[in-house]
Amino acid sequence: MLEQGWGKSVVVQFANYLQQTEFSGPGFSDKNLWRMKQFYETYHNYPKLSALLREITWTNHLMIFSKTKTIEEKEFYLQLCVKERYSSRELERQLNSAVFERTMLGNAKLSSTMRVLSPDIGSIFRDSYVLEFLNLPEAHVEKDLKNLIAANIRTFLLEFGKDFAFLGEEYRLQVGNHDFFIDLLFYNRSLSCLIAIELKVVEFSPEHLGQLNFYLEALDRDVKKPNENPSIWYFTL
């Protein structure tokens, strides 16, 4: 039957034929047969992706087909699905928020020191983060942002990455007789290091850099375990 070519009527006939065999069911509808053809044409020249392709659901495959353009973007979301074990709803949010583009932009801004920590660091940080679930008012201060992240930490970790563990907000550091507080402190399993996050609603300044480096020195001295990598900071507006 398929010797006639992949014309629309032939595919419909083939789907009808399958309904009369042990392959009957919605999985072999004419629409799905077209999608299977698309699946083959997309990946048959990329055998290195074969292991990834077996790891995610057909529903997630269909979303990646419809919302990505290049093979690099498809591979990125395939790897992300496998690593983070995304449900279809979680994957849809990441596709709609253009996490691929944001990660590529964030990649370009990583320092050489951060790249030494892990060859996979390029997939960990992003140029920007989409936090629409916080429902922040247009006029807000740093405390509002910090409190809402802490209150919605489970959803925040979907955006930030599931390899991050939340250690606390206003994390207290004692240096001499003075107390200092890190806005948010995380631990990343892939990097094996503490990550101090400073939230600001103003432009970055040299004073902020000094403050963050001071925090890292205190973390490495008093909090970091001997088997862990040096702490790093992340600044977000």
Side-chain angles (χ1 to χ4, degrees):
M1 183 182 296
L2 293 181
E3 292 177 357
Q4 302 174 39
W6 275 88
K8 184 176 180 180
S9 61
V10 172
V11 174
V12 172
Q13 292 175 41
F14 186 48
N16 291 335
Y17 167 77
L18 290 176
Q19 296 303 313
Q20 302 171 32
T21 70
E22 66 271 21
F23 298 105
S24 63
F28 289 95
S29 66
D30 58 307
K31 290 182 179 179
N32 265 342
L33 290 176
W34 280 111
R35 289 164 179 159
M36 292 173 194
K37 177 176 180 288
Q38 182 185 12
F39 181 91
Y40 171 77
E41 291 175 342
T42 300
Y43 296 116
H44 78 282
N45 287 327
Y46 302 96
K48 69 173 186 175
L49 298 181
S50 59
L52 287 174
L53 297 175
R54 294 192 291 268
E55 295 292 324
I56 72 172
T57 66
W58 183 242
T59 300
N60 282 356
H61 274 305
L62 295 182
M63 280 194 285
I64 292 174
F65 278 156
S66 62
K67 298 191 176 186
T68 61
K69 297 178 180 178
T70 66
I71 192 63
E72 292 77 16
E73 188 177 3
K74 288 176 172 61
E75 181 177 0
F76 173 86
Y77 284 109
L78 287 169
Q79 292 177 338
L80 199 62
C81 275
V82 173
K83 178 183 176 183
E84 304 288 357
R85 299 181 181 178
Y86 282 150
S87 66
S88 56
R89 182 176 180 181
E90 290 170 336
L91 173 60
E92 183 176 27
R93 181 189 182 277
Q94 301 298 58
L95 285 161
N96 290 340
S97 67
V99 69
F100 171 73
E101 289 85 351
R102 292 186 287 121
T103 301
M104 294 304 102
L105 288 171
N107 236 354
K109 297 181 179 180
L110 291 174
S111 68
S112 57
T113 301
M114 292 178 73
R115 293 181 189 277
V116 169
L117 287 176
S118 170
D120 297 325
I121 196 170
S123 64
I124 292 174
F125 293 102
R126 297 163 193 165
D127 177 64
S128 60
Y129 290 88
V130 178
L131 304 177
E132 83 292 343
F133 57 87
L134 297 180
N135 295 316
L136 272 169
E138 185 171 345
H140 62 273
V141 296
E142 295 157 17
K143 185 177 180 180
D144 297 331
L145 178 58
K146 175 174 59 65
N147 290 344
L148 283 170
I149 288 175
N152 295 271
I153 192 62
R154 183 174 181 179
T155 308
F156 179 76
L157 287 177
L158 170 61
E159 171 66 12
F160 210 47
K162 291 183 179 179
D163 264 356
F164 285 87
F166 181 51
L167 300 185
E169 61 173 313
E170 291 289 327
Y171 191 91
R172 178 175 170 270
L173 293 173
Q174 187 173 14
V175 180
N177 295 322
H178 300 281
D179 289 336
F180 300 89
F181 298 89
I182 299 173
D183 284 346
L184 300 168
L185 184 65
F186 289 83
Y187 182 82
N188 185 274
R189 296 173 60 202
S190 296
L191 302 177
S192 296
C193 73
L194 297 164
I195 300 176
I197 295 183
E198 190 70 9
L199 304 170
K200 296 294 181 184
V201 294
V202 296
E203 290 297 320
F204 185 82
S205 70
E207 290 79 9
H208 295 144
L209 180 60
Q211 177 188 17
L212 288 163
N213 286 334
F214 174 77
Y215 288 163
L216 295 190
E217 290 178 9
L219 283 171
D220 286 346
R221 183 184 62 246
D222 301 329
V223 183
K224 182 181 81 69
K225 295 182 179 180
N227 62 309
E228 294 174 347
N229 289 315
S231 306
I232 62 177
W233 58 262
Y234 191 81
F235 183 90
T236 184
L237 300 176

